[in-house]
């Protein structure tokens, strides 16, 4: 009798945490092919490589949870990267805005975050008050932000101050700042979703906005805050990107990152029908995407195969989740 | 129901593992197999190069591409061919113009314990961050020269062509052409590539410098970016040709595509091409135009030489040999860390030689 209960608990655990099982199996499989995969050095390579997309994912996760989507995150990251980088170029660099001195890093960072706030507010306002479908509203801001980037500068903005690069490139002892930022953002996201009224409201709005309204939730205000959170995460991602690569490129920085972020959130079990999201699952989703990116290089597989495997995993994960959620219902 | 769920999880996981290991396995087996074969073949054929081939075989090298346009794809093919010859296990990754991804690939190769990596940098002004990411690995930059060559060391080298010389071929050609006509004052149209790219700047600068050095007094009639694009050049040239006040004696183009757009515009406008149009790249279409007599000359940038040269340089670094060992290329005298793959002039006289290169 007891063993049966154990068994059912075990399979429940497996079903709830299937994504972690997949992650572990992937790690074991790749390690079997190349033992260098499971080394501290490679863990650093993997985590620093995925941090920016991770930060974007914690943002877009919230939009998807509210039964929306945000397609503008990659472009917002680029715009934030260019403006903040231009404010923090070294004195010897070819300046984007000649005449403007080198600003302290914090000014550049705050300018980038401010851009996130503005675009996020615009996205949220359009979704909440104009009742635009989030897909359309954020597609619009995606195009606009990318175009502004290209208007601001024809080529990459490079040679940034060490202070500004610290977030993306620096480290405290063995700890890389860019990974630390992702971990902090993970903690903040978890806190918001689990412990705050706002977090509960997002679940409610995503699950059924009419019911949420009846329950006294200010749906419009929740939506605006959701999209602002999402864009601020994206802006932060842009600052990290610029710091990491010592340049911000109008055409290519953050290009298609929104899709990678959506994919990671989705693989992590965030349901496109809204109202369903587990932060631990999303973390696993980010790591799975990272393990595939990095593992494919380690196994010496040519790069197009990476996309095929990613595609299969996205499809598989969503199919599995739909089945699980249907069974629950 | 629970069983179904359990089964799904396991099935999904198994499928991924099988898929992953299968493609990993087949990929590496295939390449090792063929490289062994290639190495043996070489040993059999050429006794002299036996040592180099034997040293290189089994070496695993990653080539990180900035993107895959027409030229860079030929460069990649050249690198693969060379790798097969030397028995190197070459893996290419396309960073798709994403600098973060580029660094990620470099770090992964370093973590894998590879000795040397070849990088076609996305942004020539951010090469130091690639060297940092490489850690103990040596880095061979290919095709795009770092803006700041002081980042180059014994463990970070560059293989590519000197963009300062590409325009020089154009300038020398035009200078000779006009000197033979007894003309020293000329007006030119310059079709520029994408602004902000090093190639655009250097190609434009070097052609004008060569004209001046040859005692030609060149005046600009029109000089704008046509984005290296054929259609854009066609549109802009159509407007110029419609404006009779814009006189010119020659058209200088930063690449063949734009030169072909200019030729197209002349044909459409019914303008006889009795003036020289010069390009760079010697693409298939460009070479055809040289044969047709519409394009006066072009400059050949050698993708096989750059790709193959970068692989040879990587092997040389790994084996502690001289940078230019087993190549015909010259080392830059000033830095000592650059392997120059020369540009070559392509004219109606020698265009046939470039058919299969």
């Amino acid at each position: 009798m007891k063993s049966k209960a154990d068994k059912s608990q075990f399979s429940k655990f497996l079903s709830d945490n299937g994504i972690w099982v997949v992650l572990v199996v992937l790690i074991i499989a790749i390690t079997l092919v190349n033992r260098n995969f499971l080394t501290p050095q490679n863990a650093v390579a993997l985590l620093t490589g995925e941090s920016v997309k991770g930060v974007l994912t914690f943002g877009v996760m919230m939009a998807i949870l509210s039964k929306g989507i945000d397609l503008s995150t990659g472009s917002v990251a680029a715009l934030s990267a260019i403006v903040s980088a231009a404010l923090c170029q070294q004195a010897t660099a070819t300046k984007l805005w000649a005449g403007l001195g080198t600003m302290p890093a914090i000014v550049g960072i705050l300018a980038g975050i401010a851009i996130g706030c503005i675009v996020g507010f615009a996205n949220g306002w359009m979704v909440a008050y104009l009742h635009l479908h989030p897909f359309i509203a954020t597609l619009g801001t995606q195009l606009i932000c990318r175009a502004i980037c290209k208007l601001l500068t024809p080529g990459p903005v490079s040679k940034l101050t060490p202070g500004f690069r610290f977030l993306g490139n620096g480290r405290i002892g063995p700890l890389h700042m860019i990974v630390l930022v992702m971990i902090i953002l993970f903690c903040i996201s978890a806190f918001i979703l689990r412990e705050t009224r706002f977090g509960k409201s997002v679940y409610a709005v995503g699950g059924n906005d009419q019911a949420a309204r009846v329950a006294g939730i200010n749906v419009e205000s929740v939506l605006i805050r959701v999209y602002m959170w999402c864009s601020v995460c994206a802006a932060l991602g842009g600052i990290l990107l610029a710091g990491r690569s010592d340049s911000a490129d109008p055409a290519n920085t953050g290009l298609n990152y929104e899709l990678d972020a959506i994919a990671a959130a989705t693989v992590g079990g965030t349901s496109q029908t809204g109202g369903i999201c587990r932060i631990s699952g999303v973390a696993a989703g980010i790591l799975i995407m990272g393990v595939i990116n990095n593992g494919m290089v380690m196994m010496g597989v040519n790069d197009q195969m990476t996309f095929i495997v990613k595609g299969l995993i996205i499809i598989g994960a969503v199919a599995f989740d739909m089945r699980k959620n249907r069974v629950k219902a | 129901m629970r069983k179904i769920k359990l089964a799904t999880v396991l099935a999904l996981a198994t499928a991924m593992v099988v898929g992953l290991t299968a493609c990993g396995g087949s990929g590496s087996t295939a390449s090792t197999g063929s490289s062994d074969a290639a190495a043996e073949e070489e040993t059999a054929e050429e006794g002299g190069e036996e040592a180099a081939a034997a040293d290189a075989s089994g070496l695993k090298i990653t080539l990180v591409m900035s993107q895959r346009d027409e030229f860079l794809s030929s460069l990649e093919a050249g690198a693969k061919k060379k790798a097969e010859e030397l028995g190197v296990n070459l893996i290419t990754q396309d960073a798709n113009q994403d600098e973060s991804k580029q660094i990620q690939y470099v770090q992964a190769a370093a973590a894998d314990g590879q000795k040397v990596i070849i990088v076609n940098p996305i942004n020539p002004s951010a090469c130091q961050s690639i060297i940092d990411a490489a850690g103990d690995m040596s880095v061979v930059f290919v095709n795009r020269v770092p803006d700041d060559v002081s980042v180059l060391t014994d463990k970070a080298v560059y293989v590519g062509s000197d963009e300062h010389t590409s325009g020089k071929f154009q300038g020398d050609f035009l200078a000779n052409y006009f000197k033979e006509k007894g003309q020293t004052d000329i007006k030119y149209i310059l079709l520029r590539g994408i602004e902000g790219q090093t190639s655009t700047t250097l190609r434009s600068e070097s052609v004008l410098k060569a004209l001046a050095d040859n005692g030609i007094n060149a005046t600009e009639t029109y000089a704008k970016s046509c984005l290296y694009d054929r259609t854009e050049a066609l549109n802009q040239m159509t407007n110029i040709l419609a404006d009779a006040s814009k006189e010119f004696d020659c058209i200088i183009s930063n690449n063949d595509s734009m030169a072909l757009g200019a030729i197209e515009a002349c044909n459409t406008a019914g303008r006889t091409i009795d003036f020289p149009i010069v390009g760079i790249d010697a693409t298939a279409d460009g070479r055809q135009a040289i044969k047709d007599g519409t394009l006066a000359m072009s400059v050949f940038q050698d993708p096989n030489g750059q790709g193959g040269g970068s692989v040879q340089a990587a092997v040389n670094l790994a084996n502690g040999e001289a940078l230019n060992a087993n190549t015909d290329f010259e080392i830059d005298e000033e830095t000592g860390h650059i392997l120059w793959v020369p540009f070559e002039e392509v004219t109606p006289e020698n265009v046939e030689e470039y058919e299969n290169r």
Side-chain angles (χ1 to χ4, degrees), chain A residues 33-254:
Chain A
V33 178
N34 187 337
R35 251 196 264 154
N36 292 326
F37 179 74
L38 211 58
T39 57
Q41 192 192 4
N42 193 47
V44 167
L46 192 157
L47 287 174
T48 52
E50 291 307 310
S51 290
V52 172
K53 285 175 186 165
V55 167
L56 261 63
T57 305
F58 292 130
V60 82
M61 164 196 86
M62 206 79 95
I64 299 174
L65 176 61
S66 76
K67 207 177 178 177
I69 193 86
D70 192 340
L71 297 178
S72 68
T73 51
S75 298
V76 172
L79 185 55
S80 149
I82 284 172
V83 172
S84 55
L87 289 172
C88 298
Q89 280 184 291
Q90 288 172 23
T92 52
T94 324
K95 297 236 174 163
L96 175 58
W97 293 320
L100 197 70
T102 301
M103 299 281 173
I106 188 72
V107 175
I109 291 168
L110 288 178
I113 300 288
I115 285 171
C117 289
I118 295 167
V119 179
F121 182 84
N123 281 338
W125 186 80
M126 286 189 285
V127 172
Y129 291 101
L130 296 185
H131 303 291
L132 288 184
H133 193 287
F135 192 96
I136 301 303
T138 58
L139 177 62
T141 42
Q142 179 201 66
L143 298 174
I144 294 169
C145 289
R146 182 62 68 182
I148 295 175
C149 291
K150 292 182 183 172
L151 283 176
L152 284 175
T153 168
V157 182
S158 308
K159 290 201 166 45
L160 314 176
T161 58
F164 176 76
R165 290 191 65 194
F166 182 66
L167 275 187
N169 193 38
R171 49 162 99 176
I172 305 176
L175 194 63
H176 288 250
M177 280 307 292
I178 195 168
V179 179
L180 185 66
V181 171
M182 175 173 73
I183 293 172
I184 290 173
L185 221 60
F186 167 78
C187 297
I188 297 175
S189 309
F191 179 77
I192 292 178
L193 284 183
R194 290 184 177 176
E195 304 296 334
T196 65
R197 253 189 79 146
F198 170 62
K200 305 261 190 290
S201 310
V202 182
Y203 276 104
V205 170
N208 184 338
D209 60 336
Q210 290 309 321
R213 201 181 294 280
V214 171
I217 293 173
N218 183 343
V219 175
E220 283 75 18
S221 153
V222 168
L223 284 176
I224 286 182
R225 279 184 283 165
V226 161
Y227 284 93
M228 282 180 76
W229 164 259
C230 189
S231 291
V232 166
C233 286
L236 184 60
I239 292 164
L240 296 176
L241 259 183
R244 179 167 152 80
S245 53
D246 195 17
S247 79
D249 184 299
N252 303 312
T253 292

Side-chain angles (χ1 to χ4, degrees), chain B residues 37-163:
Chain B
E40 273 166 32
E41 230 168 81
E42 187 149 328
T43 325
E45 276 171 24
E46 301 168 68
E49 283 186 21
E50 191 183 325
D55 280 350
S57 71
L59 198 61
K60 187 174 173 190
I61 299 177
T62 302
L63 163 63
V64 185
M65 306 289 297
S66 63
Q67 64 180 99
R68 284 198 177 104
D69 61 17
E70 195 184 342
F71 181 83
L72 290 174
S73 298
S74 322
L75 187 154
E76 184 185 351
K80 280 185 176 158
K81 213 172 102 194
K82 189 66 169 183
E84 203 165 301
E85 258 175 56
L86 297 177
V88 170
N89 179 11
L90 185 77
I91 300 139
T92 52
Q93 302 289 347
D94 182 2
N96 225 333
Q97 292 287 69
D98 179 345
E99 285 181 63
S100 178
K101 210 177 198 178
Q102 179 174 266
I103 294 178
Q104 207 170 340
Y105 283 140
V106 174
Q107 286 179 329
D112 187 29
Q114 296 175 23
K115 278 188 192 164
V116 52
I117 190 163
I118 306 171
V119 182
N120 167 224
I122 293 168
N123 178 358
S125 61
C127 287
Q128 185 61 49
S129 55
I130 295 171
I131 297 174
D132 293 345
D136 294 336
M137 270 194 308
S138 299
V139 185
V140 177
F141 292 107
V142 65
N143 182 254
R144 295 180 188 169
V145 64
D147 278 358
D148 179 6
V149 290
S150 70
V151 303
L152 299 178
T153 61
D154 287 340
K155 289 186 67 191
V157 302
Y158 170 69
V159 176
S161 303
D162 187 359
E163 287 285 3

